[in-house]
Amino acid sequence: MSRGGTDISIEVFNHCMGSCTGCLLSVQERRSVSPVMQPYAFAVAMRAVADYGMKTGISYRPVIVYGDVPWLPVSMQKKYYDAARDVGLPIGVTMTLVEPERVDNYWRGLEAMLETGLDPVFDITVDPIRLFKDEGYHGRVLRAAGMAPELHLQMLLSEAVLTRNEPEDLAVRMRDALGGRPISLGFAPALARMDGVNFQYEVGGAAAWARRFYNATPQGAKLLRSEFGRYQGGSDYADFMTQTFHVGPDLNIWPTGYTIFGDVIMDQRNGGFPLGNMKEARIEDILRGKEARRLAAMARAGMAIGDFGCEECPHMETCTFHGVGAVRRVYRDYEHRTGSCHGPIALMEAA
C-alpha cells in the first residue's frame, strides 16, 4: 500500500456514480452525497495520527477513501486538506471523476489540494469500459493523472472484466489509453459482496489472468515486481498492526492485511471487529491492546487452515507478518471458490 511513507486509509466519503463491477461499496453507499466522517472528526484523527507518528518515527500518509472525493463541494474539501496540512501530514485521495456535470468542481478541488503543498497522491480507480467509450471521461483521467504529484491507478477485477477480455489485449489497450502509465489490479472484494454475481470467479483464475496482464507490457511487469518487493518485513502480525491501520467514520481503528490481490480492510464489511476507538484511547494503546493481541493469535492460526502448504512456502514469514492469516479467516467460507492462498506465490506461480 505504501507509495511514499506508510499509508493508512480513512473512510470519509463514499459517493460515486461509477459502474466498476468490482467495487466493494454497496449501491446505497455509492449513492450517498454526504461525508460519513465530518471535518471535525477528521481533524481529531489527523492530530492523533500525527502524534502517534512522532512517537513511533513512522511517516504516515492518510488516504481519504473510498469514493469520488473531489466530487465534494470545494469548500468542504478544503476543510479536510487543511486539517492534514495543519498537523504536517501528506495525504492521498481516492477519485473516479465519472460525473461530467462535476467537471469544474473536480478541477477546483484538485487545485485546492495542490495549493496546500501536501504533494498528494491521486488514487484513481479507472473503469476500463468507460475509458474506451467515453472521451470526456478519458480526458478527465488523463488530465488528473498529469496534475498528480504522485499517481496510483487501479482497475478493479470482476467476473465481467475477467471473462470478457483477453488480458494481453486489455493490458496493451490500457497502457496506450493511459499514456504509458502502469495500472494495478485489485480483486479483494468485501465479504459482504462475495455472493454477488460479479465475484463468482476463482481467485486462482484471476491470478493467472493478472499475471498475463502485468507481463504483457514492460510497464506492467515492472509494477508487478514492485508489488512483490513490498512483501518485506518481520514475522509477527502484531507488529504489523502497530504500523498500519484503517480509521472508520466513527473513529474506530480497524486492522488491515496486505495481500497480492489487494489490501483488505477488516471492518464491518468483512465481518471484522474494531481494535478500539480514538475517542476513548490513544492509538498506541489500541494497537497493542486486547483485541489486537487476540487478532494476532487468530491470524497465526489462520495460516494453518486450508490445503495450500503454507508451512513449506518461502513466503510463510512475510505472509504471517502482513496479516494473510487474518485475511484467510475472513474468506474462510469462500476458499473453495478462490482455489488459492492470498500470498504472493499465488500470482508468481499463476500459469
Side-chain angles (χ1 to χ4, degrees):
M1 182 183 246
S2 179
R3 295 174 285 275
T6 298
D7 289 354
I8 58 169
S9 51
I10 300 189
E11 186 175 352
V12 171
F13 185 61
N14 291 326
H15 172 78
C16 178
M17 293 302 290
S19 54
C20 297
T21 53
C23 185
L24 66 84
L25 299 173
S26 68
V27 172
Q28 290 76 16
E29 287 174 316
R30 286 185 279 120
R31 285 176 178 169
S32 65
V33 295
S34 298
V36 292
M37 179 186 286
Q38 295 301 312
Y40 71 87
F42 184 80
V44 170
M46 292 300 94
R47 288 193 295 271
V49 169
D51 180 62
Y52 180 64
M54 287 289 291
K55 293 175 181 177
T56 60
I58 298 174
S59 298
Y60 280 111
R61 176 168 58 195
V63 181
I64 302 174
V65 300
Y66 292 101
D68 194 12
V69 175
W71 184 97
L72 280 167
V74 176
S75 59
M76 179 163 282
Q77 289 185 56
K78 287 181 178 179
K79 293 179 180 179
Y80 296 103
Y81 307 151
D82 289 348
R85 179 204 60 200
D86 290 347
V87 295
L89 292 175
I91 60 170
V93 172
T94 61
M95 61 191 78
T96 56
L97 310 171
V98 297
E99 297 186 53
E101 61 272 19
R102 301 295 289 187
V103 166
D104 290 342
N105 196 83
Y106 285 148
W107 306 136
R108 290 191 295 114
L110 295 182
E111 290 290 352
M113 193 189 333
L114 294 172
E115 288 170 2
T116 63
L118 297 174
D119 291 332
V121 58
F122 290 9
D123 198 327
I124 307 175
T125 298
V126 179
D127 182 342
I129 297 174
R130 193 184 299 266
L131 190 71
F132 300 127
K133 291 185 176 181
D134 185 337
E135 291 184 4
Y137 169 73
H138 184 194
R140 290 193 295 276
V141 170
L142 289 180
R143 179 172 173 178
M147 295 171 64
E150 188 172 346
L151 178 66
H152 176 238
L153 298 171
Q154 71 164 339
M155 179 176 69
L156 304 180
L157 294 185
S158 66
E159 181 78 4
V161 174
L162 291 165
T163 58
R164 298 176 188 176
N165 298 276
E166 285 297 316
E168 292 85 1
D169 175 63
L170 185 58
V172 172
R173 294 176 67 204
M174 293 294 287
R175 178 200 61 192
D176 294 346
L178 296 170
R181 298 176 177 91
I183 187 166
S184 65
L185 304 177
F187 43 112
L191 184 65
R193 303 202 66 206
M194 281 292 282
D195 284 324
V197 66
N198 283 311
F199 301 108
Q200 298 302 309
Y201 60 83
E202 292 185 353
V203 173
W209 193 100
R211 184 176 178 86
R212 291 170 58 191
F213 178 94
Y214 282 123
N215 287 324
T217 65
Q219 297 90 339
K222 181 179 179 180
L223 182 62
L224 181 58
R225 288 193 298 271
S226 71
E227 283 294 290
F228 291 147
R230 75 174 181 161
Y231 283 88
Q232 307 295 325
S235 59
D236 191 345
Y237 183 51
D239 291 337
F240 179 86
M241 282 190 285
T242 66
Q243 299 175 27
T244 189
F245 48 90
H246 171 76
V247 181
D250 55 1
L251 298 182
N252 273 331
I253 290 181
W254 301 85
T256 64
Y258 287 1
T259 84
I260 199 64
F261 305 134
D263 301 334
V264 178
I265 296 170
M266 288 170 271
D267 64 2
Q268 69 280 1
R269 297 180 182 89
N270 279 319
F273 50 86
L275 302 179
N277 191 283
M278 287 184 178
K279 293 179 289 188
E280 300 169 357
R282 299 179 303 173
I283 295 177
E284 54 264 41
D285 295 330
I286 293 171
L287 298 180
R288 293 193 179 277
K290 177 181 177 181
E291 295 297 340
R293 294 194 300 273
R294 182 166 76 93
L295 182 59
M298 293 171 62
R300 287 191 293 273
M303 292 301 295
I305 64 176
D307 300 313
F308 301 119
C310 293
E311 293 81 1
E312 293 78 36
C313 177
H315 303 287
M316 172 70 173
E317 186 172 281
T318 55
C319 282
T320 302
F321 174 69
H322 288 101
V324 170
V327 171
R328 290 184 62 197
R329 292 186 67 87
V330 169
Y331 293 129
R332 61 186 179 274
D333 292 334
Y334 295 90
E335 288 208 321
H336 66 284
R337 180 182 301 173
T338 62
S340 78
C341 73
H342 291 77
I345 198 168
L347 196 49
M348 289 177 177
E349 295 190 345

